[in-house]
């Protein structure tokens, strides 16, 4: 007598704690084995691209905070670099160094959250508490800089919104000092943890060739052994001045990606240290009349500055006709902003290349033939933020 | 000397010069400036003090250009374009020059952008943003103009009912002072002091309250002059604009509404320069009159009189009632017992719908749009109406060398034409002649002002003809025919009875005979006179004798926004034959019953031979020149329907009142006095439940089961066919004997009374505009200084004005212009019914004045 | 047998070692906060609930210029100016819809009069949606915050004519 065999279609999400937001996955199962896992997206679609197109260039900035809300500074940076490229603005050296410093802090912050939630998905509860505790140091730096802990809007077109706070260096030095020890703690808890290894080793494997074919980027790509990092491949914001390694994995499984992200945190700390040590003196925003707001003090005492302030706030600046693309290495991969301008004071079209979205497309490949319980691990190791996937 | 060169320039063909601007070859007529040449090919040069309608002064110096072989930068607005010039508008030196000029202008400019209403549309901001830098090298105390008794930190000073001046912000471009003087002929604003403390201010002891003062605010390149209308209301970037056309004047100035959509509110009116009509100048009526649109007093729901009081009802109930009553009257007494009065300020569609509803649906011919004229002729093909249909072009006034204003106080009736006349005088050296029964403002630049005895218009015209014949100013053949057909009249006798000198008549005759391009403009004093036909005949004689029509234009100017449209669409009892023919084609029939005009309708209402009157937007109780007569008629009406924006004297008497949309609330076409069909776009949604005139007519037609006649597309095509009829009737080819009658009775009333519009008002609606009420808020009796002296009256004291039929007590206003014994009363204020003094059968109303002793 | 001994040894030797880690945390400063009773001091640039500043003579700084509303990416600010009894420009209505507000701080950055600031207050909850329309009366501080350690970068008196009386 044989049992009837039938594929089972299961709906996972969109309200499922391990889908990191409102991701829905339609899983077709053959027993415990996954035949197909199709991600369904759009539950968090907020029309950010279109919203940005309806706003003046400088007013579109807060929208970027809300895409990858775990790495707001990276989004700010990507957008600002794109607009600066369009407007042909050269920012002061100090701004570049500060931006690198902040972007790397953001990478650490994003990876910490990833580590906590990913480990939580796989059953290690205390990791979440530890990483969120440590992330707090970086959030404090954000708050001191821009005044907000998540939606920073600190990096602006042509520079930064304020001068770096007086205690910036002290706070960042503390991060540099404390994080390595914490990383060792994490490794103690996870790297040799049998349960963790069993859940991640040889799970969600993607070959280098597939990774390239899927257009993956960031840790997803490097985990499979492809040494590609925009900071090296196409340096922006002065990354060419920094000395750091680009770690790569071997097998392209979830465990490799875990190790790689931890290593990236260490490299980021190196970059931050260099940035702090070598931070030049200078203004915190470029002097570009008609595009960048004049300093507030001048606005209060100088007629010309007041007029420029007034006009930029009310009418924005007119961009030259044309289109630019600027990609940066965000914690999750290549974050790109494509801006097409028709010469008006609002972008004609903004298209974001979100790394989470592209990386998520590899989910069917990652989970195919695997166990159903490994779908959770696969989603976790991609490191998605639905705000960015759906925009 | 200047005249000589002018003549020479006119005689020789215009020479052209060719220059190179930014590598582009430009050819312009000689005499144009470099700036004009550059702008003609689309090269923009920034300016503050330049205004296309004013002479250049070159005071701001921002329009610097570099010209080869000239050592220094030149101001392009004051440099004449020469052959072979090589001009650069964008070289480094020019940029540096502009930057320096802006820095210099901003030296003393206060940091007022946040509080300044110009912020966002300010020339200074825009040009600084475009050509300046965002940093300043100057850190010192700025000059501050401040009255000692000011309690505010804002340094604003009120210099008129509407205008607020902030001298700190002024950049001394002098545009306001120049336009006030050159374009408007007003001297209430000037520049005082010198150097660092040079400042614009109102003339000592005077207010800037001329009827064009709003323009000063609009042309101010900074926020030095602002008006209370726009001040502190809304930021310019929050408003949207809608192109529209003025509704208070017959010339149809092009305007732009600034509105806020969510609040359904209009915030201001600015000009939309159209050189054929308004030159970019707007009178204050136009600029502030829009305020009636958002007035809280607007009628919002239909009213029906129930048990003596008017109560709010639904549109359906109101329309059903009207339809039932009209159908009743039509069936029981005949359609001849229904009459209709429409306002000549309504759009084409409303007027046409009105006429079609009466003629085609009710089969009544009793429609009229003229509710402010007395003793209208029953026929429509009269000399006067022919004169009113003559072509007229506002811009032709510009290059006329002789302009005669006959029977019109232009500044009260036709603001745009008034400005054109000043322009012709100031810029082209035109010779102006004014012939009126009382002294008028427009005459201050006239070569000769003839003030004749009231009610003697035709005598003056006859005298001019006679003088021409006697002085052999016209050829013998023409003179012979004139003598033959009119006969010989004694010139001195004519002049004596008209109260004018023979010399002045001869001077006018000489000007008319020598003029190359003549504009003969006839105004309201003629059209509203009882003897309009004889006067028109006299004008035609004059026209024939001097051949004016061939040398320019002779026309009676239409008075209201769509008077010409009403004329062309046949909203009169007996339209011209060609209009009737067209109606027959379009509607397959026209009623053949008797037709009555406003006068006849009112008279028949009084006799109870007409039972019902439908008033669309008009207010005969306020403007018909015999209040007693109008009231008796309307009170006896069996069924009176009145549609208006506000509660008026007429709606108070009505059985059904319907709220009407203002012109800003729907798309409508208006024919201006030149016959130009212009469209006013809807700026806001209708206020309350108000509807357009056409909607009301169509809804009523639907209740008569005739809604197929009122389909919008069909109506539009019918209107365009009606308007396309070429209707310039020929003026009489022969000379006519002029026989006018005069008033016999004197009864001890010795001072002639003229009813006119206040320069800041028009019709019966503008009273509801708070800004216009600031300029002139209550009725007054305007008399000459002499007369006031004799009556021992001071400005503002009350005077009793008595006529055989009425008596009013009214404050007196001593005019600087009037110099004869005459009293002018405005007809724009509902609180003072000035028409109560008038008798419709009189040619000139006579009153007596006496001081009111407290 | 050996393994059994080893396991027992582990329990008695290594477990206390583990507890030492736990015990150490007994003496560490906790990272959490006793929240409603104790509040986290925010950094000077913190962007919390808005307030409207006054001049030292306690007149309102805000002149209702509309730049904050123009800069607001969320269109959360609505204002209507009016002329006060002295003829000065003041806000008749100044409302911030806190439900729309995204606390980006652009209003503060745009303000040319140094009138609006985002304060330190981060606790706003209510049961009524209308309560989130934050009016001018609610925002306007009672007295000028001379001692405000946070945002005051440049103090000065009203500058109509560009006077440079800086008060440092």
């Amino acid at each position: 007598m044989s049992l009837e065999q039938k594929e089972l279609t299961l709906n996972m999400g969109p309200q499922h704690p391990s889908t990191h937001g409102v991701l829905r996955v339609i899983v077709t199962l053959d027993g415990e084995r996954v035949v197909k896992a199709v991600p369904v997206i759009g539950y968090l679609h907020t029309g950010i691209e279109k919203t940005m197109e309806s706003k003046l260039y400088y007013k579109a900035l807060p929208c970027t905070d809300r895409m990858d809300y775990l790495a707001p500074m990276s989004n700010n940076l990507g957008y600002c670099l794109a607009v600066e490229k369009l407007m042909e603005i050269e920012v002061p050296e100090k701004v570049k160094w500060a931006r690198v410093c902040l972007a790397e802090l953001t990478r650490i912050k994003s990876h910490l959250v990833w580590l906590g939630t990913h480990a939580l998905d796989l059953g290690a509860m205390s990791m979440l508490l530890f990483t969120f505790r440590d992330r707090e140091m970086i959030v404090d730096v954000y708050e001191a800089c821009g005044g907000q802990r998540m939606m920073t809007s600190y990096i602006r077109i042509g520079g930064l919104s304020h001068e770096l706070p007086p205690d910036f260096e002290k706070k960042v030095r503390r991060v540099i000092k404390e994080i390595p020890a914490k990383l060792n703690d994490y490794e103690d808890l996870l790297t040799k943890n049998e349960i963790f290894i069993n859940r991640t080793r040889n799970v969600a494997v993607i070959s280098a060739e597939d990774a390239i074919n899927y257009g993956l980027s960031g840790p997803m790509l490097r985990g499979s052994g492809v040494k590609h990092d925009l900071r090296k491949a196409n340096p922006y914001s002065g990354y060419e001045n920094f000395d750091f390694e680009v770690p790569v994995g071997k097998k392209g499984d979830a465990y490799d990606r875990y190790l790689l992200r931890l290593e990236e945190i260490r490299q980021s700390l190196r970059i931050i240290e260099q940035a702090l040590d070598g931070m030049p003196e200078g203004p915190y925003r470029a002097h570009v009349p008609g595009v960048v707001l004049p300093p507030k003090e001048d606005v209060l005492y100088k007629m010309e500055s007041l007029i420029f302030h007034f006009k930029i706030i009310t009418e924005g600046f007119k961009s030259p006709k044309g289109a630019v693309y600027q990609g940066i290495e965000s914690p999750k991969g290549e974050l790109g902003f494509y801006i097409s301008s028709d010469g008006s004071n609002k972008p004609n079209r903004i298209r974001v290349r979100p790394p989470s979205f592209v990386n998520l497309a590899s989910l069917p490949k990652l989970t195919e033939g695997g166990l159903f319980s490994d779908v959770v691990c696969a989603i976790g190791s991609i490191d998605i933020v639905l705000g960015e996937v759906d925009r | 000397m200047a005249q000589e060169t002018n003549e020479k320039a006119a005689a020789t063909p215009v020479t052209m010069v060719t220059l190179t601007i930014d590598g582009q070859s430009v050819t312009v007529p000689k005499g144009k400036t470099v700036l004009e040449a550059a702008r003609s090919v689309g090269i923009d040069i920034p300016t503050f003090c330049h205004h296309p309608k004013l002479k250049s002064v070159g005071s701001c110096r921002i329009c610097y250009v570099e010209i080869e072989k000239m050592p220094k930068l030149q101001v392009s607005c004051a440099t004449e374009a020469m052959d072979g010039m090589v001009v650069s508008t964008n070289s480094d030196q020019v940029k540096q020059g502009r930057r320096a000029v802006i820095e210099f202008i901003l030296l003393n400019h206060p940091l007022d952008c946040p509080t300044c209403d110009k912020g966002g549309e300010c020339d200074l901001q825009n040009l600084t943003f475009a050509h300046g830098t965002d940093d300043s090298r100057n850190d010192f105390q700025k000059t501050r103009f401040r009255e000692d008794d000011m309690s505010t930190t804002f340094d604003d000073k009120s210099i008129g009912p509407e205008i607020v001046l902030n001298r700190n912000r002024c950049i001394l471009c002098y545009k306001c002072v120049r336009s006030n003087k050159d374009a408007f002929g007003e001297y209430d604003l000037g520049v005082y002091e010198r150097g660092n403390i040079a400042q614009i201010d109102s003339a000592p002891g005077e207010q800037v309250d001329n009827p064009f003062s709003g323009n000063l605010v609009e042309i101010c390149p900074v926020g030095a002059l602002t008006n209370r209308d726009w001040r502190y209301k809304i930021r310019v970037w929050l408003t949207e604009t809608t192109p529209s056309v003025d509704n208070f004047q017959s010339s149809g100035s092009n305007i732009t509404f600034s509105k806020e959509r969510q609040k359904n509110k209009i915030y201001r009116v600015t000009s939309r320069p159209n050189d054929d009509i308004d030159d970019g100048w707007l009178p204050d009526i136009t600029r502030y009159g829009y305020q009636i649109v958002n007035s809280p007093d607007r009628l919002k729901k239909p009213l029906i009189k129930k048990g003596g009081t008017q109560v709010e009802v639904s549109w359906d109930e109101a329309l059903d009632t009207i339809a039932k009553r009209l159908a009743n009257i039509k069936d029981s007494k005949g359609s001849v017992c229904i009459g209709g009065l429409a306002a000549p300020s309504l759009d084409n569609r409303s007027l046409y719908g009105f006429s079609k509803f009466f003629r085609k649906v009710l089969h009544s011919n009793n429609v009229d749009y003229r509710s402010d004229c007395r003793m209208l002729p029953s026929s429509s093909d009269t000399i006067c109406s022919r004169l009113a249909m003559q072509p007229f072009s506002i811009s032709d006034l510009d290059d006329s060398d002789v302009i005669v204003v006959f029977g019109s106080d232009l500044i009260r009736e036709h603001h745009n034409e008034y400005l054109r006349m000043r322009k012709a005088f100031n810029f082209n050296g035109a010779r102006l002649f004014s012939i009126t029964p009382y002294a008028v403002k427009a005459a201050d630049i006239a070569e000769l002002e003839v003030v004749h005895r009231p009610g003697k218009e035709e005598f003056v015209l006859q005298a001019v003809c006679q003088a021409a014949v006697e002085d052999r100013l016209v050829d013998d053949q023409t003179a012979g025919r004139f003598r033959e057909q009119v006969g010989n009249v004694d010139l001195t006798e004519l002049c004596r009875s008209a109260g004018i000198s023979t010399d002045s008549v001869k001077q006018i005759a000489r000007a008319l005979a020598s003029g190359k391009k003549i504009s003969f403009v006839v105004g309201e004093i003629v059209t509203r006179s009882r003897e309009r036909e004889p006067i028109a005949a006299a004008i035609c004689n004059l026209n024939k004798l001097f051949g004016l029509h061939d040398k320019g234009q002779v026309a009676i100017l239409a008075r209201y926004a769509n008077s010409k449209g009403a004329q062309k669409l046949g909203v009169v009892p007996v339209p011209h034959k060609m209009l009737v023919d067209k109606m027959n084609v379009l509607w397959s029939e026209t009623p053949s019953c008797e037709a009555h005009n406003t006068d006849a309708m009112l008279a028949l209402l009084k006799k109870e031979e007409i039972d019902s009157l439908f008033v669309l937007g008009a207010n005969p109780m306020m403007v018909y020149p015999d209040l007693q007569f109008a009231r008796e008629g309307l009170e006896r009406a069996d069924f009176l329907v009145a549609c208006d924006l506000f509660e008026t004297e007429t709606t108070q008497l009505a059985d059904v009142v319907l709220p009407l949309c203002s012109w800003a609330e729907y798309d409508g076409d208006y024919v201006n006095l030149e016959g130009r069909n212009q469209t006013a776009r809807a700026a806001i949604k209708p206020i309350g439940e108000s509807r357009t005139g056409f909607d009301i007519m169509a809804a009523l037609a639907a209740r008569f089961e005739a809604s197929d006649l009122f389909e919008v597309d069909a109506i539009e095509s019918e209107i365009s066919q009606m308007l396309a009829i070429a209707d310039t009737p020929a003026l009489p080819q022969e000379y006519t004997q002029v026989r006018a009658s005069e008033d016999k009775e004197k009864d001890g009333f010795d001072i002639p009374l003229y009813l006119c519009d206040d320069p800041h008002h028009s019709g019966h609606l503008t009273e509801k505009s708070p800004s216009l009420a600031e300029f002139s808020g209550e009725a007054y009796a305007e008399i000459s200084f002499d007369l006031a002296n004799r009556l021992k009256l001071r400005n503002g004291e009350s005077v009793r004005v008595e006529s055989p039929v009425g008596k009013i007590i009214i404050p007196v206003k001593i005019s600087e212009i009037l110099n004869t014994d005459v009293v002018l009363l405005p007809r724009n204020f509902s609180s003072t019914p000035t028409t109560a003094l008038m008798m419709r059968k009189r040619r000139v109303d006579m009153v007596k004045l006496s001081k009111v002793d407290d | 047998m050996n393994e059994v001994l080893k396991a027992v040894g582990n329990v008695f030797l290594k477990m206390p070692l583990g507890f030492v880690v736990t015990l150490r945390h007994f003496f560490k400063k906790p990272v959490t906060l006793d929240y409603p009773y104790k509040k986290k001091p925010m950094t000077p640039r913190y962007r919390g609930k808005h307030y409207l500043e006054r001049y030292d003579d306690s007149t309102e700084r805000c002149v209702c210029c509309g730049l904050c509303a123009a800069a607001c990416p969320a269109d959360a600010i609505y204002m209507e100016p009016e002329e006060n009894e002295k003829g000065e420009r003041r806000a008749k209505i100044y409302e911030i819809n806190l439900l729309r507000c995204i606390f980006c701080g652009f209003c503060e950055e745009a303000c040319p009069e140094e009138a609006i600031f985002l304060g330190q207050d981060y606790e706003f909850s209510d049961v009524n949606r209308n309560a989130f329309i934050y009016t001018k009366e609610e925002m306007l501080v009672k007295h000028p915050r001379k001692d405000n350690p946070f945002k005051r970068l440049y103090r000065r008196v009203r500058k109509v004519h560009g006077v440079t009386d800086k008060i440092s």
Side-chain angles (χ1 to χ4, degrees), chain B residues 374-377 525-535 740-745 840-844:
Chain B
R374 59 180 107 192
M375 304 301 282
L376 287 164
I525 295 169
V526 173
T527 48
R528 277 164 46 191
S529 162
R530 185 190 69 193
E531 298 299 328
R532 59 178 79 75
E533 290 308 327
I535 302 173
S741 56
E742 283 175 42
D743 297 329
K744 298 281 181 306
E745 321 81 347
R840 71 188 193 104
K841 294 202 167 157
R842 287 290 177 87
R843 176 169 184 178
V844 178

Side-chain angles (χ1 to χ4, degrees), chain A residues 287 289-290 294 298-308 310-312 314-315, chain B residues 103 106 109-111 113-114 119-120 125-126 128-129 132-136 142 237:
Chain A
H287 182 244
D298 285 356
V299 172
L300 300 174
Y301 296 103
K302 294 178 179 169
M303 189 58 209
E304 284 89 338
S305 306
L306 177 61
I307 288 176
F308 273 74
F310 197 100
K311 292 302 270 188
I312 295 171
T314 55
E315 286 167 20
Chain B
E103 190 175 18
L106 291 177
H109 200 86
L111 282 77
C113 294
Q125 274 189 341
N126 292 343
T128 308
F129 196 56
T133 56
D134 71 345
D135 203 0
S136 163
K142 299 192 173 196
W237 57 81

Side-chain angles (χ1 to χ4, degrees), chain B residues 160-163 208-210 213-214 227-231 233 267-269 284-292 295 758 760-761 765-777 829:
Chain B
E162 268 298 308
I163 299 188
V208 182
D209 57 357
N210 64 66
S213 60
N227 55 15
R228 294 192 181 278
D229 173 37
W230 173 253
R231 185 175 152 90
K233 294 279 189 320
Y267 277 88
R268 68 169 173 184
V269 161
D284 286 354
I285 303 171
T286 309
R287 192 175 299 275
Y288 304 126
Y290 82 90
Q291 291 173 354
I292 65 165
S295 165
D758 183 275
H760 285 97
H761 287 278
L765 296 174
T766 52
E767 202 189 0
K768 300 283 182 187
S769 154
S771 289
L772 292 178
E774 279 292 317
F775 282 103
S776 165
F829 304 100

Side-chain angles (χ1 to χ4, degrees), chain B residues 245-246 248-254 276-278 283 394 413-417 558-561 671-674 676 678:
Chain B
V245 173
D246 175 29
F248 297 107
Q249 280 197 303
S250 55
S251 49
S253 307
N254 290 192
D276 290 333
I277 298 173
D278 50 34
I394 300 173
E413 297 170 14
H414 298 286
H415 293 74
N416 285 329
E417 292 70 16
R559 179 65 175 89
Y560 298 101
V671 182
N672 83 343
L673 83 172
E674 302 170 292
R676 197 188 292 269
Q678 304 189 102

